[in-house]
Amino acid sequence: SVAFDYSRAEVRTYYLETLREACRRYDLDGVELDWLRYPDLFREGEVDVAIMTDFVREARAVLDEAAKRRGHPLRLLARVPVTPEQALSIGLDVEAWLKAGWLDAVIAGPGTSFSACPLERWVDLAHRHGVPVYGSMERQNRNNVPRYGSPETLRAAIATLWEKGCLLYTSDAADEEDS
């Protein structure tokens, strides 16, 4: 099922207008385009890479315009699937975005089972364009069991990301009892 069908101009316009409004109202440091929460961007068989590339180009332009007004850069990050091929299969030509200089960082994978993920592939691709890759870690508790229950397991998870060439990005704040 498609949450929002990006083949529809009104969907893209809605998100770009939301981005413009956020840039007008708030002094942002940047924006994360999270392509993993609802990765079905098009109806089955209708994936259009050019539409998504135009969308990201326009999002970058919105941020650059706001940066001029604010007097500081606004970063554009993209949370992407586990591999470049998976990204491309849903319409995300991240390599083209990197070549164009539109992204300031890539957040690779969902952050739930990263140790087996080939994050090095994103690292190789992004680093060729001078862009850092963040390995995501979801620290959210599931069924009252902390994902990284001890300092040792948390350090091991971070070491795995570091070994793969990623920086650390945490998208969920740890609960107080987790810390």
Side-chain angles (χ1 to χ4, degrees), residues 16-31 62-75:
L16 290 169
E17 286 305 316
T18 300
L19 180 58
R20 282 186 186 90
E21 181 65 18
C23 289
R24 275 192 292 273
R25 295 178 92 184
Y26 307 104
D27 189 13
L28 305 174
D29 290 322
V31 171
V62 168
L63 293 177
D64 289 346
E65 177 185 311
K68 287 179 187 171
R69 284 193 319 272
R70 297 280 184 191
H72 64 80
L74 276 78
R75 307 215 185 299

Side-chain angles (χ1 to χ4, degrees), residues 1 15-16 26 32 34 38 42 44 48 66 75 81 102 105 118-119 121 130 140 146 148 152 169:
S1 69
Y15 279 119
L16 290 169
Y26 307 104
E32 174 188 333
D34 186 344
Y38 297 99
F42 297 94
E44 190 171 333
D48 191 328
R75 307 215 185 299
W102 298 335
L119 299 178
R121 298 188 54 218
Q140 190 172 33
Y148 305 103
E152 292 78 17
Y169 177 85

Side-chain angles (χ1 to χ4, degrees), residues 25-112:
R25 295 178 92 184
Y26 307 104
D27 189 13
L28 305 174
D29 290 322
V31 171
E32 174 188 333
L33 299 175
D34 186 344
W35 303 115
L36 286 183
R37 298 299 174 218
Y38 297 99
D40 296 321
L41 307 173
F42 297 94
R43 297 186 190 286
E44 190 171 333
E46 297 180 11
V47 171
D48 191 328
V49 173
I51 283 177
M52 295 311 295
T53 297
D54 285 343
F55 178 83
V56 172
R57 179 187 48 75
E58 290 180 50
R60 175 80 265 170
V62 168
L63 293 177
D64 289 346
E65 177 185 311
K68 287 179 187 171
R69 284 193 319 272
R70 297 280 184 191
H72 64 80
L74 276 78
R75 307 215 185 299
L76 182 61
L77 292 75
R79 181 186 293 267
V80 296
V82 173
T83 67
E85 292 79 17
Q86 288 175 348
L88 200 55
S89 75
I90 64 170
L92 309 176
D93 190 350
V94 180
E95 184 170 13
W97 308 346
L98 290 165
K99 285 179 183 175
W102 298 335
L103 295 180
D104 297 297
V106 171
I107 304 166
T112 54

